[in-house]
Amino acid sequence: MSDPLNGNNYDVVIIGAGPAGLSAALTLKKSGIESVLVVDRDSEAGGAPRHCGHPPFGIREYKRIMTGPSFAKRLVQSARDNSIKIALKTTVTMLQPAGNITVSSPEGMGKITAKRVLIATGIRETPRSSRLVSGDRPLGICTTGTLQSMYYLKKLIPFRYPVIVGTEIVSFSALSTCKKAGIKPVAMLEENQRPTLRWPLYYAAQAFGVPLLLQTQIVKIIGDPRVRAVYVAENKGNIREIACDGVLFSGQFTPESTLARMSHLDLDYATNSPIVDQFGRCTDPTYYAAGNVLQHATGKKAPIYYNPSNLPQPVDVAGKCWDEGQITAQWIVQDLAGNLPQ
Amino acid sequence: MDTPKHQNNFSSTTQIIARADVAIIGGGVVGCAVARKLTLEGASIVLIEKGTDILSGASKGNSAILHTGFDAPIGSLEWECVQNGYNEYLQINKSLNLPLQKTGALIAAWSEEQEAKFSDILKKGKDNNVHDLQLLSRKEILELEPNLGKNIRSAIVVPREFIIDPWSTPLAYLQQALENGGKALFNAEVTDGEFDGMSWLLNTQRGHVKATHVINCAGLYGDIVNSKVLGNCDFTIKPRKGQFVLFDKAARKLLSSVILPVPTARTKGIVLFPTIFGNVAVGPTAEDQDGRDDASVDKENLQALHNQALEKIPALANIPITATFAGIRPATEKSEYQVSQDPDRNWITLGGIRSTGLTSSLGLAQHVHQLLLQRGTEFKPLVSPIVPSVPNLAENQPRDYETSGYGEIVCHCEMVTDREINAAMKGSMPAGSIAGLKRRTRATMGRCQGFYCSARLAELTKGKFEDSIDVGKADV
């Protein structure tokens, strides 16, 4: 294959080689659309499941229970088996009208034109900064995604006895990653009366021997150069100190919609996802979006970033992203055949 | 004063780890600028810093504005140094590859009371030799800045207030000093010293430094250094914290100028400004505190800053917050710079350099050079000094990722390559800590704050710094 990037035209370019992007690519191929390019900024394809070293993945795609990394491997293998072009270490830097995108790769900058572009850039957790948590800014503060990529990809750990903030599904993953990595969380904090994920988190925390502190909020982080303690506020107004060497902020997912945000596409500020119609089509109809980058409005008021009462947004399990990639790809096939309303 | 512990120790070279014409205490922007200037003028220098890297104190958090000095105290040394520093920056920035964005600033009035101060500001500008201040009507402002809140009344435009890179700037200064023969010592807190009538022997945590002249640029610790070494100090540092909230880069298209408030007697007030890296920031607060190292943030102040920004530009409500941080200004009980000298003991103090230090540092360095000349020092200026080119991090100049040949982009939010990260850990002034590496490359400073890149960054930096991102290998 010659340089896949510069000056090339494709029928469809897919941004993101995770479950949504790869399933869309497979669907397009199977529908007879040959000119498809998947780009991913990472050095490996597979997306977030690569560093979610726990089940259950793969039930609806491969009819068996798998861990994230083996699911990701299967996904990428399926793509390879169907000779789907994947350009790795390729970062899209700009989206412009009519399917013109700019990319950076170790070979330099390039421009690609596609009849249709699918944005499948996924989701990430909200970091400490945009939660406006008080205190020092030492080493040892991270999100579940960071912990998982450090442990599953590099076998490194960012702390040994952290406090975990949040009780979402992903917080369960955080607990299980900690257990595998020999990390012993000293407490799990939830500011509401009940954990967000009531079952099995309640029991999991108990089983792992991690105290689940309800109606307890982190109010300050102490330490330099590394986390030494956190102050937490309990419901009754008591402030107390918990010694720890790290803080793990879990959940509060936000779409990785930067490309759309920086472009001519309109964003739904309630969800921070690109605005799409019933076909997954953005406000520039050459662009589509699918997977976790699309969070569906809950009908609630627009979230304010630091608002602690802001309910966590749902994160689709990989299988749902896979489905959505397929469905959106089918719409793209229809669109290219001229069968979608303008 | 404590009795020096090393009397009659001058002939011994065993403990002397550096000798120079001039010892500079403190690796903030002022120390770095003085190091550069004196090196170029032919002095041998050693910069002594107690932290692991430059910019470990006051200089690590500021609003990165190149000030014209339009509102400086008339006839003051601060005014002189700001103007000289401003002019020199514009002369040298291109050759050092330091960025500049000609944003201009607006002093915005949101109330009649603020407007009432405009005539004084215009007059002060003229008196301060800044002749291009201009009054703008509400309509003119909204043409220039259509996203400003519609309740704006009027503004003074300061066309030549610009934005620069707060971290690469001092780095370039010190790098130029080091590449032309200067030395720098880190983890070397000065504990005391003795003057023998000819030269100083400073005691540091790393050993003795012998130098003819000493320039105290110790910022937040300026008074402590004077007390410990000279035995007296005529000012007291009153640390003043400034918190900032940084908005996502999507905000940049909502604002083109620096929005200055009408200043009060105490501070320049809360500024809403674009950054050279393509963000928009709001800050600083002005909170007096005892701690000289306490750069913690607090939710109440951050929320208040966020609200203030939204009042000025309502569309910021839709923009996520990228980061929060704080800096500490070395304010004193007085409003002026505390620049003084002890000619009998070859000692110059540059103290109390607050908000304007990033701009004035080059001017202060010129001032120090003049003071040394007045004392009869005879240094021979370098004929063709080495001019280092620092890596560009500004969004308005080509970045490394736009040039082929890098291995991978490590930090995707700030588009930082492995080539940039590896380069920042080498060279004449390598990063001394993870924080220093961030300031040199911007890795992890973007919207995800390390969600995606911390793992790779931990791997790339393993074993390079005393305090690492990880705490080691997993146990199992």
Side-chain angles (χ1 to χ4, degrees), chain A residues 233-315:
Chain A
E234 294 165 343
N235 189 34
K236 297 178 190 100
N238 299 336
I239 304 265
R240 68 183 181 100
E241 187 178 327
I242 301 177
C244 56
D245 73 342
V247 183
L248 192 155
F249 287 97
S250 68
Q252 289 197 12
F253 280 93
T254 185
E256 183 45 77
S257 54
T258 301
L259 281 171
R261 188 184 284 278
M262 300 299 282
S263 76
H264 61 296
L265 303 176
D266 289 341
L267 226 60
D268 172 2
Y269 294 120
T271 60
N272 289 307
S273 293
I275 291 176
V276 292
D277 64 12
Q278 68 269 40
F279 309 113
R281 215 164 31 173
C282 300
T283 46
D284 169 348
T286 52
Y287 286 87
Y288 283 75
N292 271 330
V293 74
L294 275 192
Q295 292 295 313
H296 302 290
T298 54
K300 289 187 172 61
K301 189 170 152 290
I304 301 170
Y305 284 84
Y306 53 77
N307 183 353
S309 66
N310 174 22
L311 288 169
Q313 302 191 4
V315 53

Side-chain angles (χ1 to χ4, degrees), chain A residues 26 57-66 70-79 322:
Chain A
L26 283 164
F57 283 89
I59 298 169
R60 67 182 94 181
E61 303 82 4
Y62 301 112
K63 315 296 177 213
R64 48 179 280 220
I65 297 175
M66 311 164 91
S70 42
F71 172 68
K73 264 194 198 130
R74 277 290 289 269
L75 269 183
V76 176
Q77 196 51 51
S78 305
W322 171 272

Side-chain angles (χ1 to χ4, degrees), chain A residues 41 89 104-107 125 129-130 132 134-136 143 146 154-155 157 160 180 225-226 258 261 269 306, chain B residues 296-299 303 318 320-322 401 404-406 412 447 450-452 454 459 467-468 470-472 474 476:
Chain A
R41 61 191 193 178
K89 294 189 186 179
S104 170
S105 78
E107 282 78 50
E125 291 161 288
S129 56
S130 36
L132 299 191
S134 302
D136 299 326
T143 51
T146 305
K154 312 290 178 196
K155 291 290 166 211
I157 52 173
R160 296 189 192 282
K180 280 196 181 152
R226 204 167 277 288
T258 301
R261 188 184 284 278
Y269 294 120
Y306 53 77
Chain B
S296 60
V297 293
D298 73 87
K299 192 167 187 165
Q303 280 177 348
N318 294 327
I321 291 169
T322 287
Y401 74 84
S404 63
Y406 65 81
H412 295 288
R447 50 181 72 84
F451 176 89
Y452 291 109
S454 290
E459 187 179 49
D467 296 299
S468 54
D470 64 290
V471 294
V476 281

Side-chain angles (χ1 to χ4, degrees), chain A:
Chain A
M1 182 172 73
S2 64
D3 181 1
L5 301 179
N6 221 341
N8 266 316
N9 295 304
Y10 289 87
D11 284 342
V12 183
V13 167
I14 296 167
I15 308 171
L22 290 182
S23 87
L26 283 164
T27 306
L28 290 168
K29 273 274 176 173
K30 286 174 184 165
S31 309
I33 296 184
E34 284 300 315
S35 166
V36 176
L37 175 70
V38 183
V39 296
D40 198 291
R41 61 191 193 178
D42 220 308
S43 54
E44 267 180 28
R50 282 178 310 131
H51 47 75
C52 301
H54 51 78
F57 283 89
I59 298 169
R60 67 182 94 181
E61 303 82 4
Y62 301 112
K63 315 296 177 213
R64 48 179 280 220
I65 297 175
M66 311 164 91
T67 65
S70 42
F71 172 68
K73 264 194 198 130
R74 277 290 289 269
L75 269 183
V76 176
Q77 196 51 51
S78 305
R80 297 249 156 80
D81 293 347
N82 287 277
S83 7
I84 287 167
K85 271 192 209 172
I86 305 176
L88 296 171
K89 294 189 186 179
T90 302
T91 305
V92 177
T93 59
M94 204 183 349
L95 308 178
Q96 283 173 305
N100 288 298
I101 66 177
T102 307
V103 297
S104 170
S105 78
E107 282 78 50
M109 301 296 286
K111 284 191 185 297
I112 310 177
T113 304
K115 289 181 186 153
R116 298 294 178 268
V117 177
L118 175 64
I119 302 170
T121 45
I123 201 164
R124 61 173 167 81
E125 291 161 288
T126 300
R128 175 260 177 105
S129 56
S130 36
R131 298 173 184 231
L132 299 191
V133 175
S134 302
D136 299 326
R137 294 173 301 118
L139 294 165
I141 302 174
C142 71
T143 51
T144 316
T146 305
L147 168 70
Q148 289 182 333
S149 55
M150 276 179 88
Y151 172 64
Y152 289 117
L153 305 181
K154 312 290 178 196
K155 291 290 166 211
L156 298 173
I157 52 173
F159 36 54
R160 296 189 192 282
Y161 50 100
V163 158
I164 298 177
V165 179
T167 57
E168 299 178 32
I169 297 175
V170 67
S171 319
F172 179 75
S173 308
L175 270 180
S176 94
T177 306
C178 284
K179 187 167 168 62
K180 280 196 181 152
I183 296 167
K184 297 188 169 57
V186 292
M188 194 162 199
L189 310 182
E190 170 55 53
E191 57 196 325
N192 295 308
Q193 283 185 343
R194 295 200 177 93
T196 311
L197 177 71
R198 293 185 198 177
W199 183 94
L201 197 119
Y202 209 82
Y203 305 100
Q206 271 183 347
F208 291 152
V210 179
L212 178 59
L213 308 180
L214 298 173
Q215 291 182 286
T216 304
Q217 199 178 342
I218 184 165
V219 291
K220 196 169 185 182
I221 298 172
I222 314 279
D224 177 28
R226 204 167 277 288
V227 176
R228 183 162 53 76
V230 295
Y231 287 167
V232 298
E234 294 165 343
N235 189 34
K236 297 178 190 100
N238 299 336
I239 304 265
R240 68 183 181 100
E241 187 178 327
I242 301 177
C244 56
D245 73 342
V247 183
L248 192 155
F249 287 97
S250 68
Q252 289 197 12
F253 280 93
T254 185
E256 183 45 77
S257 54
T258 301
L259 281 171
R261 188 184 284 278
M262 300 299 282
S263 76
H264 61 296
L265 303 176
D266 289 341
L267 226 60
D268 172 2
Y269 294 120
T271 60
N272 289 307
S273 293
I275 291 176
V276 292
D277 64 12
Q278 68 269 40
F279 309 113
R281 215 164 31 173
C282 300
T283 46
D284 169 348
T286 52
Y287 286 87
Y288 283 75
N292 271 330
V293 74
L294 275 192
Q295 292 295 313
H296 302 290
T298 54
K300 289 187 172 61
K301 189 170 152 290
I304 301 170
Y305 284 84
Y306 53 77
N307 183 353
S309 66
N310 174 22
L311 288 169
Q313 302 191 4
V315 53
D316 283 11
V317 289
K320 260 181 91 183
C321 291
W322 171 272
D323 285 353
E324 199 170 279
Q326 280 187 335
I327 293 163
T328 310
Q330 282 158 8
W331 289 125
I332 294 175
V333 173
Q334 292 300 316
D335 187 7
L336 289 171
N339 296 335
L340 283 198
Q342 288 308 302

Side-chain angles (χ1 to χ4, degrees), chain B residues 147-318:
Chain B
N147 296 300
L148 281 184
K150 303 293 180 260
N151 53 342
I152 180 126
R153 296 174 65 92
S154 58
I156 294 173
V157 62
V158 192
R160 291 178 298 116
E161 295 262 306
F162 301 145
I163 58 173
I164 62 174
D165 177 339
W167 301 307
S168 298
T169 300
L171 177 67
Y173 298 166
L174 184 60
Q175 232 171 281
Q176 189 166 28
L178 299 183
E179 290 178 22
N180 286 286
K183 291 192 195 80
L185 297 172
F186 293 92
N187 303 305
E189 182 173 354
V190 172
T191 49
D192 54 42
E194 194 181 60
F195 185 66
D196 68 357
M198 292 289 284
S199 62
W200 277 96
L201 193 64
L202 294 174
N203 197 13
T204 81
Q205 283 178 326
R206 301 257 316 262
H208 289 168
V209 174
K210 192 166 167 117
T212 312
H213 301 271
V214 176
I215 321 293
N216 174 3
C217 308
L220 288 159
Y221 292 83
D223 56 342
I224 292 178
V225 167
N226 272 9
S227 301
K228 274 187 182 166
V229 185
L230 297 181
N232 58 63
C233 186
D234 48 15
F235 63 90
T236 308
I237 293 292
K238 306 273 186 194
R240 187 176 295 159
K241 181 157 72 188
Q243 302 189 43
F244 295 85
V245 171
L246 193 73
F247 287 90
D248 188 274
K249 293 185 176 184
R252 186 66 177 86
K253 60 187 173 208
L254 299 174
L255 180 68
S256 57
S257 324
V258 172
I259 308 296
L260 300 168
V262 176
T264 64
R266 190 155 163 274
T267 93
K268 280 182 167 303
I270 307 255
V271 186
L272 184 64
F273 56 100
T275 76
I276 199 93
F277 313 115
N279 298 80
V280 167
V282 60
T285 55
E287 305 158 55
D288 291 325
Q289 63 179 30
D290 294 331
R292 295 169 192 248
D293 297 314
D294 175 11
S296 60
V297 293
D298 73 87
K299 192 167 187 165
E300 290 68 32
N301 273 298
L302 295 173
Q303 280 177 348
L305 283 176
H306 188 247
N307 290 341
Q308 283 213 32
L310 267 50
E311 273 171 29
K312 286 174 181 165
I313 300 186
L316 284 172
N318 294 327

